[in-house]
Amino acid sequence: MSIESIPFFRPSIGEDEIAAVTECLRSGWLTTGPKTAAFEKAFSDFLGGGVEAVAVNSATAALHLGLEALGVGPGDEVIVPTLTFTATAEVVRYLGAQPVLVDIDATTLCIDPGRIEAAITQRTKALMPVHFAGRMCDMTTLKAIADKHSLRILDDAAHALPAHHQGVTVGKAGADVTAFSFYANKTMTTGEGGMLVTADPAIAARARTMRLHGIDRDVFNRFTDPRAGWVYDVVAPGFKYNLADIASALGLVQLQRAESFGRIRAGRVARYDAAFSDLPLILPPKPADGDGHSWHLYIVQLAQDAPIGRDDFILTLKEQGIGTSVHYRPLHQMTVWKPFCEGATFPQADLVFSRCVTLPLFMAMTDAEQDRVIAVVRGVLGGRS
Ligand SMILES: *Cc1c(COP(=O)(O)O)cnc(C)c1O
């Protein structure tokens, strides 16, 4: 008997996205240009305005440009949670600075604010909180710590669109710079892409210059402003991080759907939570009171009394055609990051990693697909059907 397989993630690309990309392809302008300018404007508007949005070709690029614009360099230290994707720490190394890993709070899965001050030294320049799975970090407390120690905040919001802290949208919730991801399996996608958001015009200007080779004006202006024309200066050894209009055309449509995508995911989460309430599972942490969660990922942890370990649980689901993932193996366990945390221990992240698994959650998921995931999980964990 063949079983229907359910992927961990499937993007939601509709006819509007296909039409928008086709129109861009037919327009004759493929690289950074009018679609990207419109996408940046729409993104800033989506966040309620008052910030500049700088489109780039990944969140990794946005994180890199954000730290660069904050002036992080050799000898500096940047505080990063150990439970994150490697990109969060890797960009610190791009600039020759040192990532300092901090353990998470096992109940929120975000960096533990109570452990940050012990990690701050004379060299600490910035904090990089990650809104894990789309659940906002306690930005009020993080901002108070940053202000007390004169640190900047660059938040990794790769999971967190849309989300808010105490009614204030991510991107304006206390960070100096915020990085969003439009990678294929994020909450909205441009295939590959990212956005740097800041209210500081100097940071935005530096990021705009550095995203395109250190050229002092955008490609679009360079090719459309008849006076500027071929005259441009290069003011720094920049990077090649600009976003193509093909991607921005897709992003413009996806952004219009971002709120409804969020509501769909929240509905699926409520359905999972209800279906799993009697199982030996630790369900994903709810947002703090007054916060809004993007529900990018649905991460459960197998409780101590579960009849099966995490690794076998994943294999069993796979045998039954259900895709899962693990977010994440903590950075301190990775070869490249071990030398940066000698002597330190991260018991909370180790515990979460030993028992966590991410279940399928995506906008295009049908009730029937979710019911099958639920039935298999209940079957494996001994729930009454
Ligand atoms: C996906 C992700 C990134 C990197 O995003 P890209 O757009 O692929 O560069 C960074 N941090 C976290 C937490 C992520 O999940």
Side-chain angles (χ1 to χ4, degrees):
M1 191 184 79
S2 79
I3 47 169
E4 175 206 6
S5 73
I6 298 164
F8 165 68
F9 187 86
R10 192 191 308 133
S12 283
I13 300 297
E15 290 307 318
D16 288 351
E17 282 87 344
I18 291 166
V21 171
T22 304
E23 188 220 296
C24 178
L25 291 172
R26 292 191 201 285
S27 76
W29 194 282
L30 306 184
T31 185
T32 309
K35 293 291 181 200
T36 300
F39 184 37
E40 291 179 336
K41 170 77 168 59
F43 201 85
S44 171
D45 289 349
F46 183 86
L47 300 178
V51 286
E52 285 193 55
V54 180
V56 287
N57 56 17
S58 71
T60 306
L63 292 166
H64 182 194
L65 294 178
L67 282 187
E68 202 273 342
L70 290 176
V72 169
D76 293 335
E77 294 176 358
V78 177
I79 291 177
V80 174
T82 188
L83 195 70
T84 185
F85 184 57
T86 193
T88 319
E90 144 195 327
V91 297
V92 177
R93 294 297 299 139
Y94 288 0
L95 293 159
Q98 306 283 310
V100 175
L101 302 184
V102 168
D103 205 358
I104 55 157
D105 175 334
T107 60
T108 67
L109 308 182
C110 291
I111 193 167
D112 183 350
R115 293 171 199 262
I116 289 176
E117 288 196 283
I120 294 174
T121 72
Q122 291 297 321
R123 295 162 176 259
T124 310
K125 201 79 178 254
L127 307 178
M128 292 178 76
V130 177
H131 307 298
F132 198 84
R135 185 195 183 283
M136 291 293 289
C137 298
D138 178 357
M139 292 302 284
T140 306
T141 299
L142 295 182
K143 181 82 168 82
I145 295 170
D147 287 348
K148 182 174 157 196
H149 298 273
S150 303
L151 308 179
R152 312 301 292 274
I153 300 180
L154 163 54
D155 56 348
D156 180 338
H159 298 175
L161 188 82
H164 66 82
H165 174 64
Q166 303 299 300
V168 183
T169 179
V170 63
K172 296 181 177 178
D176 298 283
V177 196
T178 302
F180 294 93
S181 177
F182 312 130
Y183 180 67
N185 68 10
K186 295 289 161 65
T187 59
M188 60 165 273
T189 188
T190 60
E192 297 279 0
M195 194 72 80
L196 177 151
V197 166
T198 181
D200 182 336
I203 292 175
R206 178 69 180 177
R208 284 185 196 284
T209 297
M210 295 305 281
R211 78 171 160 185
L212 195 71
H213 304 297
I215 293 172
D216 70 347
R217 71 173 68 84
D218 280 357
V219 157
F220 183 53
N221 296 336
R222 181 152 63 91
F223 287 103
T224 57
D225 177 350
R227 287 172 307 277
W230 44 268
V231 185
Y232 65 88
D233 193 13
V234 178
V235 297
F239 309 103
K240 182 64 165 82
Y241 282 164
N242 57 302
L243 189 67
D245 263 22
I246 303 168
S248 295
L250 181 48
L252 276 164
V253 181
Q254 288 268 297
L255 185 63
Q256 286 171 15
R257 302 173 70 191
E259 289 287 353
S260 77
F261 280 167
R263 283 192 296 274
I264 292 168
R265 287 189 305 271
R268 295 272 166 233
V269 166
R271 228 161 154 259
Y272 270 148
D273 280 353
F276 296 153
S277 63
D278 62 333
L279 297 182
L281 285 177
I282 300 162
L283 298 180
K286 305 277 178 294
D289 278 348
D291 283 8
H293 196 313
S294 75
W295 292 113
H296 168 48
L297 300 171
Y298 190 82
I299 299 173
V300 296
Q301 297 173 63
L302 292 157
Q304 208 130 45
D305 57 341
I308 188 169
R310 190 271 312 274
D311 295 4
D312 287 331
F313 181 75
I314 288 174
L315 279 178
T316 307
L317 262 59
K318 188 174 178 180
E319 279 161 18
Q320 307 215 34
I322 293 173
T324 60
S325 189
V326 171
H327 295 88
Y328 296 89
R329 185 176 176 201
L331 298 185
H332 70 269
Q333 296 187 16
M334 303 286 197
T335 303
V336 64
W337 302 120
K338 276 181 193 164
F340 293 89
C341 39
E342 265 163 24
T345 59
F346 304 88
Q348 303 303 309
D350 286 335
L351 177 68
V352 169
F353 173 62
S354 70
R355 61 192 194 186
C356 71
V357 53
T358 310
L359 297 178
L361 174 64
F362 48 92
M363 293 69 81
M365 195 177 199
T366 64
D367 280 352
E369 286 176 319
Q370 189 175 23
D371 288 343
R372 219 175 78 70
V373 177
I374 289 168
V376 171
V377 168
R378 291 191 62 79
V380 174
L381 294 178
R384 283 188 302 271
S385 46

